Amino acid sequence: LKFVAGVGIELRSDPAAGKDAIRITASDSALKYYDEFNGSPIQPPGASGSHSIVIGDGSQALLAGTGSIILGTQNTGNSPYSAIGGGHSNQILSSSDYAAIGGGYNNIITGTLSVESDYSTIGGGDTNKIGPTAQGAKSQHSVIGGGDSNYIFGSSNSMILGGESNYTNGKDAVALIGQ
C-alpha cells in the first residue's frame, strides 16, 4: 500500500513483510507538513515556516516555528525548533526556542521579544504555563513535569514536578510535589 500523506511525503506499508516506511521526496525547502487526513480533515494542519512537520486536526507550525514538530489537535508552535508531542490546545509561542510540550491540554510556553523561555519543557497535564514576568524576568531552562494549573513565571532553572496550583517566581526554585 502507498499513500500520499502531504507535500512530498509518502507512507508505504507492506503487511506481508511486516514493514512500514515513510518516504520523504520533497526538497528541504518544500517539506512543510504531513496531512494524516489526505486532504480532508475538519481543519487542515499547516506549516508556514519551513522544515516543519505537523500532524493533527487544526495544528499549526507558524512562520517562526521553523524546524518544529507539532502533533495533536489544535496545537500551535511559533518558535524555532520546538516540539509538541500530542494533546489538545497546547502552545509554544514566541521566544521559546528549543522548547517542548509532551502532551496534555492547554499548556503554554511563551516569551516576549526580549525575554525568553528558551529550552523549557512541560511534560503534560492541564493548563500549566512557563513564561516571563511583566517586569522582564526570564524562565529559561525550566520544567513542569505535569499536573494542573502549575506556573513558572520569571524563574529560570526552576522545576515543578507535578501537583496542582504550584507557582515559582524566583531563580532556581523547585516544587517537588503539589496540593
Side-chain angles (χ1 to χ4, degrees):
L1 294 167
K2 175 179 150 185
F3 300 94
V4 175
V7 176
I9 301 174
E10 293 177 359
L11 298 179
R12 293 177 180 254
S13 179
D14 185 354
K19 293 181 180 180
D20 294 321
I22 297 175
R23 180 173 178 231
I24 300 173
T25 59
S27 67
D28 285 348
S29 62
L31 181 59
K32 292 194 181 238
Y33 72 93
Y34 166 88
D35 177 1
E36 74 201 275
F37 296 96
N38 202 20
S40 59
I42 296 168
Q43 186 178 1
S48 12
S50 66
H51 303 83
S52 294
I53 295 178
V54 179
I55 302 173
D57 193 26
S59 288
Q60 302 288 318
L62 301 177
L63 187 58
T66 295
S68 296
I69 298 174
I70 309 298
L71 313 175
T73 302
Q74 299 197 5
N75 293 323
T76 302
N78 193 28
S79 223
Y81 314 108
S82 58
I84 298 177
H88 191 291
S89 301
N90 296 303
Q91 300 177 65
I92 298 177
L93 301 175
S94 64
S95 299
S96 302
D97 301 3
Y98 307 97
I101 296 175
Y105 176 75
N106 200 34
N107 296 302
I108 299 171
I109 300 175
T110 188
T112 65
L113 191 55
S114 60
V115 185
E116 304 86 17
S117 293
D118 298 343
Y119 309 101
S120 293
T121 301
I122 297 175
D126 182 5
T127 317
N128 297 301
K129 185 172 182 179
I130 297 175
T133 63
Q135 295 76 26
K138 298 178 181 184
S139 288
Q140 294 182 336
H141 306 102
S142 293
V143 175
I144 295 175
D148 182 18
S149 302
N150 294 304
Y151 302 100
I152 295 177
F153 288 129
S155 186
S156 289
N157 307 313
S158 296
M159 177 174 31
I160 296 173
L161 292 181
E164 182 177 359
S165 301
N166 293 293
Y167 174 83
T168 67
N169 65 350
K171 187 175 180 189
D172 303 325
V174 176
L176 294 177
I177 55 174
Q179 199 169 343

